[in-house]
Amino acid sequence: MQHATLARFWCEVLDFVVLDREEDGSLEIGPREGFGGPQPTIILSSRDEPEEGKPRLHIDVNATDRGQDAELERLLALGARPVDIGQTGEESWHVLADPEGNEFCLLKTRLQPL
């Protein structure tokens, strides 16, 4: 999958924009305000060979402007898909995968939606 597709997905999820593009195809995404603010940026780069075992980075998403059910619907509409890693169904989170198959969790909303 191209980085552009993955960047579009994560930019929609996080309300980020593409900040930089490298010649090797790597993309850096971050807040709309650009570099230098309190929010981190994320660099999407590829490897020739996939990592064995678990990924080195796991992202948890926690919506602060809507409830978990509404955020789940939004993420699924953006192209996320549910992933079964042996959950019992009693968990307070959802395990999902982005369009490239990278797993992440949607946590139970900890803040009251606005």
Side-chain angles (χ1 to χ4, degrees):
M1 179 169 292
Q2 294 182 348
H3 294 308
T5 302
L6 203 54
R8 267 193 306 276
F9 175 81
W10 284 108
C11 282
E12 285 292 326
V13 169
L14 301 170
D15 193 28
F16 276 11
V17 295
V18 174
L19 297 173
D20 192 23
R21 297 173 195 270
E22 295 293 326
E23 287 183 25
D24 68 357
S26 298
L27 296 173
E28 186 166 6
I29 64 172
R32 294 178 181 281
E33 298 78 26
F35 296 105
Q39 291 181 292
T41 64
I42 297 172
I43 297 173
L44 303 170
S45 59
S46 60
R47 297 175 173 218
D48 293 333
E49 298 294 324
E51 287 285 320
E52 288 188 35
K54 291 193 171 221
R56 293 174 54 188
L57 175 67
H58 176 83
I59 296 175
D60 287 333
V61 173
N62 180 26
T64 58
D65 62 344
R66 65 186 60 109
Q68 185 185 40
D69 291 341
E71 182 67 353
L72 177 61
E73 285 183 38
R74 186 178 84 89
L75 294 174
L76 293 173
L78 291 173
R81 64 182 189 284
V83 176
D84 182 359
I85 60 168
Q87 306 90 297
T88 65
E90 299 297 316
E91 293 82 6
S92 62
W93 64 87
H94 296 276
V95 182
L96 303 168
D98 68 19
E100 197 170 273
N102 301 299
E103 294 174 7
F104 67 98
C105 291
L106 171 61
L107 303 179
K108 180 178 178 184
T109 305
R110 290 188 260 179
L111 300 175
Q112 289 292 61
L114 301 174

